[in-house]
Amino acid sequence: AQKVTQAQTEISVVEKEDVTLDCVYETRDTTYYLFWYKQPPSGELVFLIRRNSFDEQNEISGRYSWNFQKSTSSFNFTITASQVVDSAVYFCALRRGGGYNKLIFGAGTRLAVHP
Amino acid sequence: DTAVSQTPKYLVTQMGNDKSIKCEQNLGHDTMYWYKQDSKKFLKIMFSYNNKELIINETVPNRFSPKSPDKAHLNLHINSLELGDSAVYFCASSQSTGELFFGEGSRLTVL
């Protein structure tokens, strides 16, 4: 069975703090894809990143970075020097390989960044 | 141009009514989806179509009927609306195993 767990329901930080959002996944597939999406208060779902299971390199994009570790089945997301505009619900998601199209989402982590 | 657009953005209706939500994508993707987001923000897939063919049909009441007239459109019709149908419905599209691109969501409120 495929499952994504985001154990942190809500995180509250002060601006400029670094924050890490945890994501743990379960799958028996050797080929799979992991995603992060952002849902700001305006409600749209914004794609942030996609990784395939064969690419364990960490990725950095500006203040955002992702740490993919197959050994612990984790795909954590770190925001460095957080800003108020980072306040949103963040979703981690998993998709099986082999042509399966379903994206399975975690329950989301609500991040509140205070000035 | 909006990549994935869905209409209407807001629907307020009475229990027992029938309503439709339309979705169109101009990305040339071959797969489209409907997701439901409940009040706790949980996102759950309802349906997926690949080139107009239904490929995913999760445990959804048969009051919900998707229709895909072509691969750029996926509509959702809901019969006999119930209070529990109140949610935000998201349309999305993707190409193969790529990321999903979501519409802005349609907030349905059933009174």
Side-chain angles (χ1 to χ4, degrees):
Chain A
Q2 326 294 314
K3 189 178 175 184
V4 176
T5 301
Q6 295 180 255
Q8 304 149 308
T9 308
E10 292 191 31
I11 301 175
S12 182
V13 299
V14 176
E15 221 173 4
K16 296 184 185 168
E17 281 186 40
D18 298 347
V19 58
T20 295
L21 283 61
D22 297 334
C23 173
V24 173
Y25 61 91
E26 291 176 32
T27 180
R28 291 185 180 175
D29 294 339
T30 53
T31 302
Y32 53 89
Y33 303 86
L34 296 163
F35 303 79
W36 276 94
Y37 282 83
K38 174 182 179 180
Q39 187 173 39
S42 49
E44 71 273 24
L45 284 157
V46 179
F47 165 75
L48 296 178
I49 190 171
R50 167 182 175 260
R51 303 297 281 181
N52 74 55
S53 51
F54 298 110
D55 183 1
E56 278 192 82
Q57 279 198 4
N58 291 332
E59 175 137 349
I60 298 175
S61 175
R63 296 183 297 105
Y64 293 174
S65 62
W66 290 269
N67 184 319
F68 177 25
Q69 291 200 339
K70 285 174 81 167
S71 60
T72 55
S73 296
S74 65
F75 186 41
N76 296 338
F77 173 30
T78 298
I79 302 174
T80 304
S82 59
Q83 299 177 1
V84 172
V85 293
D86 296 327
S87 297
V89 180
Y90 291 87
F91 293 95
C92 181
L94 166 71
R95 174 190 233 162
R96 299 178 70 182
Y100 290 93
N101 292 314
K102 185 165 67 172
L103 213 63
I104 298 162
F105 284 87
T109 296
R110 183 180 298 276
L111 173 65
V113 182
H114 302 284
Chain B
D1 270 351
T2 305
V4 182
S5 59
Q6 44 183 118
T7 54
K9 287 192 171 45
Y10 299 95
L11 282 138
V12 180
T13 189
Q14 300 285 332
M15 264 192 339
N17 284 350
D18 303 339
K19 287 293 176 188
S20 292
I21 307 171
K22 294 186 175 183
C23 180
E24 175 182 6
Q25 55 98 359
N26 63 8
L27 298 166
H29 289 164
D30 56 10
T31 306
M32 294 186 73
Y33 312 77
W34 279 110
Y35 274 81
K36 179 180 179 180
Q37 186 173 44
D38 63 22
S39 58
K40 295 184 178 176
K41 296 286 191 181
F42 189 67
L43 277 157
K44 187 165 167 44
I45 189 162
M46 300 173 69
F47 302 104
S48 176
Y49 273 73
N50 180 269
N51 283 319
K52 301 195 298 176
E53 184 182 340
L54 179 66
I55 54 171
I56 294 175
N57 184 348
E58 293 288 293
T59 312
V60 177
N62 58 16
R63 298 182 294 104
F64 290 78
S65 50
K67 279 197 174 58
S68 182
D70 55 61
K71 73 173 195 176
H73 294 85
L74 179 61
N75 304 324
L76 183 66
H77 187 75
I78 316 170
N79 288 328
S80 303
L81 279 156
E82 300 177 358
L83 292 176
D85 297 333
S86 295
V88 180
Y89 293 85
F90 283 97
C91 177
S93 72
S94 73
Q95 187 65 29
S96 186
T97 55
E99 59 271 23
L100 270 61
F101 290 84
F102 286 86
E104 293 184 334
S106 296
R107 181 177 293 277
L108 171 65
T109 303
V110 182
L111 302 174

